[in-house]
C-alpha cells in the first residue's frame, strides 16, 4: 500500500520524458535530497554537461558539482549553480531539500515563474535567481512565511507586477535586489520597517509614485539604497537623513523635484550620492562639504542653480564629480585645489564664467585626473599654461566657451 503510494508520488513528480526510477522506501540509499535534485535535473537542459556528476546511483549527493552538505547530518545545505548555462524551470523537486540554506542559480537561462513555496524550506537564508529569464510577478505568498530568509536577488529577469506587500512582513530580510525587471506600481510602504535591511535595490524598473520613507529613520544598518531609473516623482522626504549608515544613495533617472533636503547633511558616512537626471532645483548646499567621505557626487542633468559652494574643497576623497547640465553660475572656487583625488570632473553645460583658475593645470595637483569636461560654459581668457602637466588625462573638452588665442576649440587626448 505504502509502496504504491510512493510510486504514484514519483509519477506525479517526474515528467513523462524522463526515465522513471522506482526507489524503495527501505533502501538505505534513498534520500530526499537525491530524489529532489534528480527530479530538478530531469526538468533541465544542461548543454555543457555541468551536472554530469549528479548520478542517482550515488549514496550521497554531497560530492556532486555545485552541491554542499552540512557535515553534521550530511544533508544538502547549499546549491550553487551560477553560470552553468542551464535552462528549464526551477522545479518543485527543490522543495525536498529541507535543509537548504543557500540556493543560487544566477546567470543561467531559467524560465517560468517563481515558486511561492520555496521560502517554506525552513532553513533557507539566501535565494539568488539573478540574471535569468524568469517571468510573471513575484508571488505575494513568497514572503508570507519567509522563515529565516535574508538575501533575495531576483535582479535581471523579466519579472512584472508589483513589489509584493508581504515583503514588509518578512522581518529577517537584509538584502533585497529586484533590479532590472519590469516591475511596476508603488513600493509597499512597510518596507522601511524591516529592521535588518542592509541593501535595497529596485533600480531599472517601472515603479512610480512619491517616495515614502516613513520608518527609514530607524534603519541604521541600511548601507545601500537604489531607486535608480524608475518613475518616482515628488520630493526626497526629510526622513532620508535619519538613515545615517547609508554609504550609497542612488535616486538618479526619476522624475524627482524640489531641493536637496537639509536633513541629508546627516548622511556623513556616504561615499556616493547620485541624483542625476531628475528635475531638482535650488542651490547646491554649503553643508555638502561636511560629507567628507564622498567619493562620487553626481548632480548632473537637473536644474540646480547658484554658485558652486566653496566648501566643496573639503571633499578630499572625491573621485568623480559631475555637475554637468545644470544652471550653475560663477567661477570655480579656489578651494577645489584641495580635491586632489579627482579622476573625473564634469561641469559642462552650465553658465559658469570667469578665467579658468590656473591651479586646475598645476603640475602634480590633479595627478590622477582622466576626464575634464568644461565645455559649454562662459569661461574666458587664455588657456593656462601647464596644460600638459595632467599626465593621466584621457579626455579634455573645453569647447563652446569664450577662450581666446589660438586654442583648439575641441580636442581630446587619448593616452
Ligand atoms: C540562453 O539561451 C540562449 C538561446 O537559447 C543562448 O544564446 C544563451 O547563450 C543562453 N544564455 C546563458 C547564460 O546560458
Ligand atoms: C519579457 O516579457 C515580455 C512581455 O511579457 C516579452 O515580450 C519578452 O519577450 C520577454 N523577454 C525575455 C527575454 O524573456
Ligand atoms: C543588484 O543586482 C545587480 C545585477 O546583478 C547588481 O549590478 C547590483 O549591484 C545589485 N545591487 C546591490 C545593492 O547589490
Ligand atoms: C556626467 O553626467 C552626464 C549626464 O548626466 C553624462 O552624460 C556624462 O557622461 C557624465 N560625465 C562623466 C565624466 O561621467
Ligand atoms: C586646502 O587645504 C589646506 C589644508 O586643509 C588649507 O589650509 C587651505 O586653506 C585649503 N586651500 C584652499 C584654497 O581652500
Ligand atoms: C565636447 O563638448 C561638446 C559640447 O559639449 C560636444 O559636442 C563634443 O561631443 C565633446 N567632445 C568630446 C570629444 O567629448
Amino acid at each position: 500500500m505504502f509502496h504504491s503510494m510512493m510510486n504514484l508520488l514519483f509519477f506525479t513528480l517526474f515528467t513523462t520524458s524522463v526515465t522513471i526510477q522506482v526507489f524503495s522506501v527501505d533502501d538505505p540509499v534513498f534520500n530526499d535530497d537525491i530524489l529532489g535534485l534528480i527530479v530538478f535535473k530531469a526538468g533541465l537542459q544542461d548543454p555543457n554537461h555541468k551536472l554530469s556528476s549528479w548520478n542517482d546511483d550515488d549514496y550521497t549527493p554531497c560530492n556532486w558539482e555545485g552541491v554542499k552538505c552540512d557535515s553534521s547530518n550530511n544533508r544538502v545545505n547549499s546549491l550553487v549553480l551560477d553560470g552553468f548555462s542551464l535552462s528549464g524551470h526551477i522545479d518543485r523537486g527543490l522543495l525536498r531539500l529541507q535543509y537548504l540554506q543557500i540556493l543560487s542559480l544566477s546567470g543561467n537561462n531559467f524560465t517560468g515563474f517563481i515558486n511561492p513555496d520555496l521560502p517554506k524550506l525552513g532553513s533557507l537564508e539566501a535565494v539568488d535567481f539573478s540574471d535569468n529569464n524568469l517571468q510573471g510577478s513575484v508571488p505575494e505568498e513568497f514572503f508570507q512565511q519567509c522563515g529565516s530568509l535574508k538575501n533575495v536577488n531576483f535582479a535581471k529577469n523579466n519579472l512584472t507586477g508589483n513589489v509584493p506587500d508581504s515583503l514588509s512582513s518578512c522581518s529577517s530580510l537584509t538584502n533585497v535586489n529586484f533590479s532590472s525587471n519590469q516591475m511596476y506600481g508603488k513600493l509597499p510602504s512597510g518596507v522601511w520597517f524591516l529592521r535588518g535591511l542592509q541593501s535595497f535595490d529596485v533600480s531599472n524598473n517601472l515603479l512610480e509614485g512619491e517616495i515614502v520613507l516613513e520608518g527609514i529613520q530607524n534603519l541604521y544598518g541600511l548601507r545601500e539604497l537604489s531607486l535608480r531609473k524608475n518613475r518616482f516623482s515628488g520630493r526626497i522626504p526629510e526622513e532620508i537623513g535619519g538613515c545615517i549608515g547609508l554609504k550609497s544613495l542612488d535616486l538618479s533617472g526619476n522624475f524627482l523635484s524640489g531641493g536637496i533636503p537639509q536633513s541629508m547633511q546627516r548622511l556623513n558616512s556616504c561615499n556616493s550620492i547620485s541624483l542625476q537626471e531628475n528635475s531638482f532645483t535650488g542651490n547646491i548646499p554649503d553643508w555638502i562639504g561636511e560629507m567628507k567621505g564622498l567619493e562620487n557626487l553626481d548632480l548632473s542633468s537637473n536644474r540646480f542653480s547658484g554658485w558652486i559652494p566653496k566648501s566643496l574643497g573639503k571633499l578630499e576623497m572625491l573621485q568623480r564629480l559631475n555637475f554637468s547640465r545644470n544652471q550653475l553660475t560663477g567661477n570655480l572656487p579656489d578651494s577645489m585645489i584641495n580635491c586632489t583625488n579627482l579622476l573625473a570632473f564634469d561641469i559642462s553645460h552650465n553658465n559658469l564664467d570667469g578665467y579658468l583658475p590656473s591651479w586646475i593645470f598645476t603640475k602634480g595637483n590633479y595627478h590622477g585626473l582622466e576626464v575634464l569636461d568644461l565645455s559649454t560654459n562662459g569661461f574666458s581668457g587664455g588657456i593656462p599654461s601647464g596644460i600638459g602637466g595632467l599626465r593621466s588625462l584621457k579626455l579634455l573638452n573645453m569647447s563652446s566657451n569664450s577662450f581666446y588665442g589660438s586654442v583648439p576649440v575641441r580636442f581630446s587626448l587619448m593616452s
Side-chain angles (χ1 to χ4, degrees), residues 83-87 107-109 131 133:
F84 277 21
S85 296
L86 304 172
S87 56
N108 285 288
N109 252 336
D131 211 352
N133 284 321

Side-chain angles (χ1 to χ4, degrees), residues 166-236:
S166 56
L167 193 78
S168 315
S169 63
C170 183
S171 58
S172 51
L173 282 174
T174 57
N175 299 292
V176 176
N177 195 338
F178 294 157
S179 168
S180 303
N181 283 288
Q182 289 134 48
M183 298 174 76
Y184 50 78
K186 297 186 175 181
L187 279 181
S189 56
V191 178
W192 316 118
F193 290 95
L194 291 169
R195 298 302 279 268
L197 211 56
Q198 292 174 6
S199 73
F200 188 80
D201 187 346
V202 290
S203 59
N204 267 310
N205 278 287
L206 306 167
L207 299 166
E208 61 180 9
E210 299 217 350
I211 300 174
V212 177
L213 295 180
E214 203 187 320
I216 209 168
Q217 63 274 19
N218 300 317
L219 285 187
Y220 304 124
L222 187 64
R223 289 173 185 279
E224 204 168 339
L225 174 59
S226 181
L227 308 181
R228 179 170 191 269
K229 284 204 179 164
N230 278 285
R231 297 173 176 176
F232 291 113
S233 55
R235 296 169 152 263
I236 306 179

Side-chain angles (χ1 to χ4, degrees), residues 325 348-349 373 375-376 395-400 409-412:
R325 295 177 193 272
S348 62
H349 298 271
D373 196 338
S375 68
T376 318
L395 178 85
L396 171 65
N397 196 340
M398 303 174 73
S399 75
S400 302
V409 173
R410 177 211 303 180
F411 59 97
S412 63

